[in-house]
Amino acid sequence: MTIWYLSAPYRLAEEHETLLALKSRESWLELGALRPDENGRLCIDVEIATAGRSYAARLRYPHTFPFSPPSVVPKTPEAWSGHQYGSGGELCLEWGADNWTPELTGAHMIESAERLLSGEATIEGERPGRVPSRHDTTLGQDLRFKSFRLVVTETFAAHMRSLAPGSTRNAKLLWTDNDKQHALAPVHLTTADGEQWTDPSTPQALWANNTLYGAKVWRLPDGVVAPPSADGPELRAFMAAHGYCAPPDDGQLALDLLLTWDDAGARLRMFSKDSDDVYDFTVVAARPASRLPRGYSDLADKTVGLVGCGSAGSKIAVSLARAGAGHLILVDDDILLPENLVRNDLDWTVMGEHKVRGVARRADLAAPGVRIDTHIKRLAAQEASGVADGVLHSLQQCDLIIDATAEPAVFNLLAGVVSAARKPLIWLEVFAGGIGGLVARSRPGLDPSPQTARAKIEAWCASSGAKPPRADRPYEANGEAEPMIADDADVTVIAAHAARMALDLLTETSPSAFPQSAYMIGLREGWLFTQPFDTRAIDLGQPEAAAASPSAEASAAGAALLVQMIKELQGEAADPS
C-alpha cells in the first residue's frame, strides 16, 4: 500500500504550512502535532472554539489523499451536529467525496467545520441555528445500519387506506433474512368474520420457504397519529385511549407485533405484555412511480409461449416477466445441473429440478402476479403424440412464440404451428466461441414464413463465403475435442436482443424499432464481423404469395363430411342405450 505522505513528502509540507497559516489567522483554532494513527492514516488533533464552547476534534487524512477528502470527527464520540454521520461520526461538511478536488486541503475542512458548528450553535437560550444541507442522503444510506425493516408495498398501502377507521385485522407477515438484515412484509390480512385479502404484489413462491409471522393490524381512527416513540406502558395506554379492540387470535401469533396505519403511513412495533421494551421497525415504503414505458401497460393481456428454458430462454422469460407480460407458457424437459450455472439464469436453490419449474419460480419472484403454465415436455422428440398435441395447442393460443432451443427439429415443428395459427415466431441462436449470434422473427402477413425466412438467412450466410460458426456437436456430447461454447456474457447479449424484439412486437410499436426482421449480432472480430458490436441486418423480403384457394368441389365434399359427422354424434347422444 502506498502511503501518500511518504511517497509525496512535498504535499505533507504543504498541508502543514496551510494548517499553520490558518492557525495564525484564526484565534478560534488550536493545533496538535501531526502523527499517524494505528492504521497509518495521518491525523492531527485540533481545538475549535466557537459560540462559547470548545470542540475537541481530529482531522484525519485518508490513505487515498489528496484524491479524496480528509474527515473531521469528534476526538471522543459525541453528537455535535445535525450534519453528522451517526452519533460520534464524522461531520458532513462543504466538501466530500462528490465534490472534492486535489487542490483543496485539510485547512479547508477545518474552516468548514467551524462554520457548521458556529452556525448550529445555541446562543443565549435561542433555538439552534439551521445550516442547510448541501446534499440529501439516499434511502440506502439512511438504512445502512437499520437491521429490522418493514417493507410496505404500494398495493398494501392502498388497501390500508381503504379500510374503515378504527378497524383491526389479523395479519401474516413474510419474514426474510439476508445476512444481518431482516425484512418483514405484510402479505395476508383476515377480519374477525373471515374476510381475507392477499397482497398480489408479493410472490407466493416465498411463502413455502420463509417464515410467516402473525401480527395485529390497526387502522387508526381519523385524525389520530401513532406516537413516534413509546415504551410498553405508553403504547398500551395509547391503544386503550383510542379504542383499540384486538381481533380474535387466529393462532398465528409468534411475536407480539402491532402494525398501525395512519395518515403518516405504517409503523410496526414489537413489544411484549410482560416487558416495557418496545422495538420499532424501520419502514421501507414503495414509491408509486412506474419505471416501465407507457406502452407496456397492455402487456398484462399478452401471452407468450417460450420453448427452451436453458441459458438464453431462462433470461428471456425473466426479462419478459419484469416488463409486465401477463402470461407465460414455458416448455422444456431438461434438468438444472451444476455445470449449467455458468450460463443459466437459475442458481443452486433449484439444483436438480426441472429448469422449467425453476424459471417459473424465478419469474414469479421477479414479477409477482405473472401467470405461468409449465410443460415438462420435449418437443420434436420421443413423446406420446397426444402429449405433444396438447402442448402445441396451448402454444397456438399465444400472442407470440419464442424458440430458444436452437434445435432445427423444434424450429420446424414450431414453424408449422405458427403458420397454421397465423401467430408470430421469434428465434435466436448464440454462435460458438462467443463470436455473436442471430435474432430473427416471422410475422404473419409481414414476413416470409419461418421456413422460408430461415432458408434466406442461410443463403445470406453462404453468400459471405463462410458458414456461421456453429459448434460441430452439442456441449453435452461426448468426445475428445472440446466444443466451442459461449459464456454467460455472450448469451446475455443475444438473449437481451431477442427480448427487446419480442417487446417491440408485443407492444405493437409502429413503426417497429427493427426495420429488418433478421440480424446477425457480432460480439468480437471474426467470421463476417469486423469489430465488436458489428450488427448486420438481413432483408428477408416480402411474405410468400397466398396459396391457391381450394376448389369448389373439394370445399363442398368437406362440408358434407362435417354435416354427416355432426348427425352421427347427435344420433349417439339421443340413443338411450
Side-chain angles (χ1 to χ4, degrees):
M1 178 181 66
T2 302
I3 300 177
W4 70 270
Y5 52 85
L6 297 180
S7 61
Y10 68 91
R11 184 61 195 254
L12 173 62
E14 290 177 359
E15 285 296 311
H16 192 227
E17 289 172 5
T18 58
L19 290 170
L20 291 176
L22 178 62
K23 180 181 181 300
S24 66
R25 294 196 311 268
E26 305 292 351
S27 60
W28 47 262
L29 177 63
E30 293 293 334
L31 294 175
L34 286 167
R35 59 178 180 79
D37 66 7
E38 64 276 7
N39 294 313
R41 295 174 298 188
L42 189 69
C43 298
I44 183 170
D45 290 339
V46 301
E47 291 279 342
I48 301 174
T50 185
R53 178 180 172 183
S54 180
Y55 295 88
R58 178 167 292 165
L59 176 67
R60 186 172 60 205
Y61 291 86
H63 292 303
T64 52
F65 184 82
F67 304 106
S68 56
S71 56
V72 178
V73 298
K75 191 174 178 180
T76 57
E78 293 181 77
W80 283 353
S81 167
H83 299 272
Q84 192 171 3
Y85 293 109
S87 179
E90 68 177 270
L91 300 178
C92 179
L93 303 173
E94 294 163 272
W95 292 281
D98 57 332
N99 63 352
W100 174 264
T101 60
E103 292 77 20
L104 296 170
T105 68
H108 288 95
M109 304 299 287
I110 295 296
E111 288 181 292
S112 181
E114 191 278 333
R115 285 192 290 270
L116 172 65
L117 296 173
S118 62
E120 286 189 322
T122 302
I123 303 175
E124 296 180 356
E126 296 181 1
R127 296 181 63 184
R130 296 194 62 180
V131 176
S133 174
R134 69 174 178 86
H135 67 273
D136 294 323
T137 57
T138 65
L139 178 64
Q141 289 173 301
D142 294 338
L143 298 183
R144 190 180 302 161
F145 303 108
K146 306 293 185 181
S147 296
F148 292 86
R149 306 167 186 180
L150 172 70
V151 178
V152 177
T153 66
E154 188 179 352
T155 47
F156 175 76
H159 182 72
M160 290 304 300
R161 286 190 289 266
S162 72
L163 296 183
S167 60
T168 58
R169 301 284 190 274
N170 283 313
K172 293 180 181 178
L173 308 184
L174 178 67
W175 184 300
T176 56
D177 292 300
N178 183 13
D179 195 13
K180 296 181 180 179
Q181 296 179 348
H182 318 278
L184 279 168
V187 295
H188 189 75
L189 301 183
T190 309
T191 63
D193 57 6
E195 180 184 349
Q196 299 185 7
W197 176 84
T198 299
D199 190 342
S201 66
T202 57
Q204 294 197 27
L206 283 178
W207 289 33
N209 298 321
N210 290 273
T211 303
L212 291 177
Y213 281 99
K216 302 297 183 183
V217 172
W218 181 21
R219 170 69 161 88
L220 291 176
D222 286 340
V224 178
V225 178
S229 62
D231 60 20
E234 290 172 332
L235 184 57
R236 285 187 282 271
F238 172 82
M239 296 164 66
H242 295 286
Y244 173 75
C245 181
D249 192 352
D250 61 359
Q252 296 295 320
L253 281 179
L255 296 173
D256 292 319
L257 291 166
L258 176 66
L259 191 157
T260 59
W261 183 273
D262 55 37
D263 290 340
R267 185 177 292 274
L268 179 65
R269 291 182 167 98
M270 179 170 63
F271 64 101
S272 172
K273 300 179 179 62
D274 302 323
S275 172
D276 292 344
D277 296 330
V278 174
Y279 187 86
D280 281 83
F281 285 71
T282 300
V283 176
V284 182
R287 297 163 182 163
S290 173
R291 299 194 179 192
L292 292 174
R294 292 182 179 178
Y296 282 31
S297 58
D298 293 337
L299 288 175
D301 299 325
K302 302 292 186 178
T303 299
V304 180
L306 177 68
V307 181
C309 291
S311 55
S314 61
K315 301 175 193 300
I316 295 171
V318 176
S319 183
L320 294 180
R322 292 184 195 277
H327 187 193
L328 299 178
I329 297 177
L330 307 179
V331 183
D332 199 312
D333 75 314
D334 203 10
I335 298 291
L336 184 73
L337 300 175
E339 55 265 32
N340 298 136
L341 298 182
V342 297
R343 300 191 309 191
N344 201 287
D345 211 48
L346 302 178
D347 54 40
W348 261 97
T349 59
V350 290
M351 184 55 63
E353 195 170 336
H354 281 91
K355 291 177 182 177
V356 70
R357 288 178 175 163
V359 171
R361 183 176 187 272
R362 179 150 175 74
D364 178 58
L365 291 174
V370 59
R371 290 174 52 213
I372 303 175
D373 294 335
T374 59
H375 296 275
I376 304 176
K377 304 292 188 298
R378 187 174 186 86
L379 296 183
Q382 187 65 42
E383 291 276 11
S385 299
V387 169
D389 182 65
V391 176
L392 297 177
H393 179 72
S394 295
L395 292 175
Q396 283 186 319
Q397 316 310 311
C398 296
D399 298 288
L400 168 67
I401 299 174
I402 301 175
D403 177 11
T405 66
E407 295 183 11
V410 174
F411 175 88
N412 282 332
L413 183 61
L414 294 178
V417 169
V418 298
S419 295
R422 294 192 60 77
K423 296 296 176 70
L425 176 71
I426 287 177
W427 65 99
L428 63 148
E429 186 175 350
V430 181
F431 295 143
I435 198 170
L438 161 72
V439 176
R441 71 185 172 196
S442 174
R443 300 163 296 175
L446 296 175
D447 300 308
S449 67
Q451 290 98 332
T452 301
R454 186 173 65 171
K456 289 188 174 186
I457 293 170
E458 293 299 318
W460 183 90
C461 292
S463 69
S464 69
K467 66 177 183 179
R470 297 185 174 103
D472 292 332
R473 61 183 179 85
Y475 68 88
E476 299 94 339
N478 296 317
E480 295 181 1
E482 286 295 326
M484 294 173 62
I485 56 177
D487 63 21
D488 184 66
D490 302 323
V491 173
T492 300
V493 172
I494 306 305
H497 281 293
R500 175 69 263 155
M501 182 178 276
L503 292 170
D504 178 84
L505 193 153
L506 290 168
T507 56
E508 301 177 12
T509 303
S510 181
S512 170
F514 299 88
Q516 303 298 335
S517 286
Y519 293 87
M520 292 289 182
I521 302 160
L523 299 180
R524 65 194 66 178
E525 182 180 356
W527 187 39
L528 54 80
F529 304 121
T530 60
Q531 60 185 328
F533 306 113
D534 181 8
T535 300
R536 307 295 180 92
I538 304 175
D539 185 358
L540 298 180
Q542 298 298 312
E544 304 96 318
S549 300
S551 65
E553 293 80 3
S555 297
L561 285 172
L562 286 173
V563 170
Q564 179 182 349
M565 183 173 61
I566 292 171
K567 288 181 178 180
E568 290 176 353
L569 290 173
Q570 289 175 338
E572 291 177 3
D575 187 352
S577 62

